[in-house]
Amino acid sequence: VQLVESGGGLVQAGGSLRLSCVASGSVGINLMGWYRQAPGKQRAMVATITRGGSTNYADSVKGRFTISRDNAKNTVYLQMNSLKPEDTAVYYCTAGHIDWGQGTQVTVSS
């Protein structure tokens, strides 16, 4: 499975960004999700979603981030609102925790 992320960028604290990840090379992927890695830290789960729409979020993003997917387009989204400087990281899309995208940088300035 090939995963291509987009939508990262620089935003001020309190702002919003929407990440997208398009999957190709496979169909019927059950679990997709977003992870992030900040400088000097390990990669950590942000949010995951099953094909049926069940979601799971890290405590640090609950109420601010929303994960969704369009199965017909093999695309998963991450809507990020009320961004904080501590959300600054490279965000990675995953398909089943097996395949990973190359990442997209999100930088939140204070």
Side-chain angles (χ1 to χ4, degrees):
V1 178
Q2 292 78 46
L3 302 168
V4 179
E5 303 106 333
S6 62
L10 173 64
V11 64
Q12 289 188 331
S16 298
L17 285 174
R18 188 193 195 206
L19 306 183
S20 299
C21 172
V22 180
S24 60
S26 182
V27 297
I29 302 168
N30 183 34
L31 186 72
M32 296 191 73
W34 291 94
Y35 279 64
R36 67 187 181 186
Q37 187 167 17
K41 296 188 177 181
Q42 291 188 330
R43 191 174 297 189
M45 189 272 288
V46 176
T48 61
I49 186 168
T50 66
R51 188 171 179 81
S54 296
T55 58
N56 187 37
Y57 294 93
D59 288 342
S60 59
V61 307
K62 284 180 181 177
R64 300 188 298 122
F65 291 10
T66 302
I67 189 170
S68 61
R69 65 188 288 173
D70 184 332
N71 292 328
K73 296 182 179 179
N74 289 327
T75 302
V76 62
Y77 306 96
L78 186 68
Q79 178 66 45
M80 305 185 293
N81 299 328
S82 302
L83 282 160
K84 304 175 181 180
E86 51 264 43
D87 294 317
T88 295
V90 178
Y91 284 69
Y92 297 90
C93 176
T94 181
H97 297 121
I98 296 173
D99 297 295
W100 297 84
Q102 295 205 359
T104 185
Q105 176 71 46
V106 172
T107 303
V108 185
S109 63
S110 57

